[in-house]
Amino acid sequence: MAMHRTQRSSDLLWMRRALHLAAGVRGHVWPNPPVGCVIVKNDGFLAEAATHPGGRPHAERKALELAGSEANGATLYVTLEPCCHWGKTPPCADAIVEAGVSRVVCAIQDPDPRVNGGGFARLRRAGLEVSVGLCADTAEQIMSGFFHRIRTGLPELVGVSQKATEVPEDMDALLATSGKETELKIRSSKKDCLAQPAHQLMRLMGELGLTSIAIPQDDPLWQTLPIKQTAWS
């Protein structure tokens, strides 16, 4: 898909701010991706938001709510393509159009088949200027677990060097061996997966909507599970 790219002197500044917001909620918003959004008008800050815990409201919708009528004619910076499908909430792309935003700067396209360019198409049909690709590598790193689950159906596994007993701040869950059992500790809740084969365990975590799972590297699971990612420092 051809991307329309225009870049202004302040774009990098505001996109970095949006990425900082996204990184700050990683591990708290599954099954949705951690997204940051900043709204600017006449080079002045209007509003910002990140995906809320549990995945809703989405970053764009909350930022638009905070900006109110001032969003008309503004530029919206967002770290992931705005959704264009109806789920538990209406599409963010529609909300952006209805708010009168004139320009959208987005880091990366959403690989979710329900979006995958459709959000950009919706914005462009409405006459908005859309620029895609600024800080894409950083955005993909922040949303790596979500992207991995969308592409494979399975969560990303991340090795942690220390002997972790609690869920790391930027992970959805901690998977570790406890005696003869395999314990999946999810932030704010707990699931016990008893002696399940590795492929069944991975499928269960994907079905739960988990995206990034921490595993202590000295745990036997690290040697047996089929998918590994670079160890988290």
Side-chain angles (χ1 to χ4, degrees), residues 19-99:
L19 289 165
H20 177 74
L21 292 168
V25 297
R26 179 181 160 115
H28 294 265
V29 299
W30 65 275
N32 286 355
V35 174
C37 178
V38 177
I39 302 176
V40 175
K41 188 173 183 180
N42 298 325
D43 293 326
F45 170 81
L46 283 182
E48 65 183 21
T51 309
H52 276 223
R56 293 177 181 84
H58 292 183
E60 305 97 310
R61 188 165 289 277
K62 184 61 179 179
L64 288 168
E65 177 187 323
L66 293 171
S69 62
E70 288 298 310
N72 185 51
T75 295
L76 182 145
Y77 296 84
V78 65
T79 58
L80 183 68
E81 178 182 5
C83 63
C84 56
H85 63 284
W86 279 79
K88 293 184 178 180
T89 57
C92 287
D94 287 356
I96 293 169
V97 171
E98 290 163 6

Side-chain angles (χ1 to χ4, degrees), residues 157-218:
L157 301 183
V158 181
V160 289
S161 56
Q162 70 274 24
K163 185 63 178 177
T165 57
E166 298 297 330
V167 182
E169 182 62 23
D170 45 11
M171 296 285 113
D172 299 344
L174 173 69
L175 186 66
T177 301
S178 177
K180 295 183 179 180
E181 298 180 350
T182 299
E183 182 179 89
L184 177 63
K185 183 178 290 187
I186 304 174
R187 191 179 308 283
S188 77
S189 66
K190 182 177 175 181
K191 302 283 184 181
D192 289 326
C193 305
L194 307 180
Q196 296 195 53
H199 69 281
Q200 292 182 9
L201 191 59
M202 292 295 295
R203 186 168 61 248
L204 170 63
M205 292 190 292
E207 290 171 352
L208 287 172
L210 296 168
T211 63
S212 295
I213 311 296
I215 301 180
Q217 281 193 290
D218 59 357

